[in-house]
Amino acid sequence: MMYDVAAAASKGRRDYQEDAVAIDFPEREGRGFIVLADGMGGHQAGDIASRLVVSEIAEFLKDKLYEDEVNEGGIPEILKEATLAANASIASYVKRNRNVAGMGTTLVLPVLADGHLYWVSVGDSPLYVFDGEDLRQVNEDHSLGPQIDMMVKSGMLDPEKGRNHPDRNCLTSVLMGSAIAKIDCNKPPLALRKGHIVIVSSDGLQFLTDEEIHKIVREHQNARSSDLVDALMTAVEKLDDPDQDNVSFAVIKVT
């Protein structure tokens, strides 16, 4: 399989960018990865955390992922090791720089290898897969959003209050240098085929509804990844939302 990859990023209406992204598909086929982190903790904290995690993981994977002796069964363990190493790098940085204590970041890390999708994620940065018809988020959402949605479905909470609940984006797991509450690491991997589209993003993309994202993806499923990226970013900008968060995302088309 070969991959068509494109990405984009914007500060949105924030004063600074706390998202960080690294992409590595050295041969456009075989194996490759994207690592995306959405930092928290304010200027000179959240941005440091996200860049630190992305840099640590990218170097770790470049050293480990492409070794010939690494088979498919070993990739999830490599992803977990990379996540723990990145978390330890935050702990080490905070120990040396007490003024940024409390900084942290989400993580979403998809790996495409031998026709399969592996991932590890911590936090609420979504990983979507479009199969030619349907778009779904495949990784876990480590925020209070799913719990609030369950309360709405059970009738315990009004739908409108659920959509606008002030705690929706409160994270239940994050990389902060301490013990990680939840790690989503899929096993077995998800099989891919020609026409599948993978979207990895920060939650800034979710200012668009899943239905809006789905519609744009369907309309551009036969276009280049760069065209789909442009269409998604244009849709975000057209919202003109005064609260628009940083938005970073990458699109991988299986060709």
Side-chain angles (χ1 to χ4, degrees), residues 140-216:
E140 294 176 359
D141 180 351
H142 298 152
S143 72
L144 292 180
Q147 298 178 34
I148 292 170
D149 290 340
M150 188 62 65
M151 293 173 65
V152 171
K153 288 181 180 179
S154 65
M156 298 173 62
L157 189 64
D158 177 76
E160 184 65 22
K161 290 183 178 179
R163 280 192 296 271
N164 300 304
H165 200 288
D167 294 334
R168 281 197 70 86
N169 295 323
C170 290
L171 296 175
T172 58
S173 188
V174 70
L175 300 184
M176 295 184 68
S178 54
I180 306 171
K182 299 176 183 178
I183 299 177
D184 179 23
C185 190
N186 74 314
K187 188 191 294 185
L190 180 66
L192 298 173
R193 57 175 172 78
K194 181 181 178 180
H196 274 174
I197 299 174
V198 178
I199 301 175
V200 51
S201 75
S202 62
D203 65 345
L205 184 62
Q206 293 178 313
F207 277 64
L208 297 172
T209 66
D210 284 355
E211 291 76 16
E212 289 169 329
I213 297 172
H214 185 198
K215 182 175 183 293
I216 294 169

Side-chain angles (χ1 to χ4, degrees), residues 18-21 35-39 49-51 53-54 105-108 125:
E18 291 187 301
D19 293 352
V21 186
V35 52
L36 185 149
D38 180 356
S50 61
R51 292 200 307 267
V53 163
V54 165
T105 182
T106 70
L107 167 68
V108 57
S125 295

Side-chain angles (χ1 to χ4, degrees), residues 5-8 19-23 25 33-37 106-112 117-121 125-129 135 137-139 197-203 205 229 232 247-252:
V5 186
D19 293 352
V21 186
I23 301 173
F25 282 82
F33 67 84
I34 295 176
V35 52
L36 185 149
T106 70
L107 167 68
V108 57
L109 166 58
V111 169
L112 279 70
L117 172 64
Y118 303 79
W119 72 79
V120 64
S121 67
S125 295
L127 178 64
Y128 296 103
V129 173
L135 178 79
Q137 182 176 339
V138 295
N139 66 329
I197 299 174
V198 178
I199 301 175
V200 51
S201 75
S202 62
D203 65 345
L205 184 62
V229 163
L232 288 168
V247 53
S248 301
F249 59 92
V251 170
I252 311 166

Side-chain angles (χ1 to χ4, degrees), residues 71-89:
N71 57 32
E72 293 182 13
I75 292 177
E77 188 59 35
I78 289 175
L79 296 183
K80 287 183 180 178
E81 289 176 8
T83 301
L84 295 176
N87 194 51
S89 71

